[in-house]
Amino acid sequence: QVQFVESGGEVVQPGGSLRLSCVVSGNIDSIYAMGWYRQTPGKQREVVASITSDGVANYAASVKGRFAISRDNRWSTVYLQMNNLKAEDTAVYYCNANGPAFDWGQGTQVTVSS
């Protein structure tokens, strides 16, 4: 099993930046890809960014060019740099691995508001 603890969310003005962190523990040797997801009330959780063990990153169209996913060498921490934030980025952000394949963490709330 793998566990995730997300942090870094806060209230930020439109156009601002945040960096989210995801600390990963457990059987991290089983991980071959990680993703950041977000969810707003009444909507399905959606993937916003993912990264493979080879470092290949993919982004949802809505965040491409504004968000950047990165990780350390051992999958122990994964980051999401978010720039030029918009009101529609407001959501609870989660990380998960391999698809997602594991239980969700508690997430971290990002609120973009003036």
Side-chain angles (χ1 to χ4, degrees):
Q1 189 54 276
V2 177
Q3 296 82 37
F4 311 99
V5 178
E6 302 92 346
S7 64
E10 61 181 72
V11 178
V12 62
Q13 290 189 343
S17 297
L18 283 176
R19 188 171 88 149
L20 305 184
S21 298
C22 169
V23 175
V24 187
S25 61
N27 186 20
I28 61 175
D29 289 338
S30 68
I31 296 174
Y32 56 82
M34 285 283 301
W36 279 97
Y37 302 77
R38 67 186 181 189
Q39 188 171 28
T40 55
K43 293 189 177 180
Q44 281 195 327
R45 197 163 355 217
E46 62 172 353
V47 59
V48 295
S50 62
I51 188 167
T52 69
S53 56
D54 295 330
V56 177
N58 284 286
Y59 300 93
S62 59
V63 307
K64 203 167 189 177
R66 301 188 297 120
F67 289 12
I69 187 171
S70 61
R71 63 174 182 92
D72 66 7
N73 289 334
R74 286 204 68 241
W75 290 119
S76 59
T77 309
V78 180
Y79 304 96
L80 185 67
Q81 177 67 42
M82 305 188 297
N83 300 323
N84 190 22
L85 282 160
K86 304 176 180 181
E88 51 264 41
D89 296 319
T90 296
V92 180
Y93 285 73
Y94 303 85
C95 58
N96 210 303
N98 300 352
F102 302 100
D103 292 341
W104 296 96
Q106 84 287 352
T108 186
Q109 175 72 50
V110 172
T111 302
V112 184
S113 174
S114 55

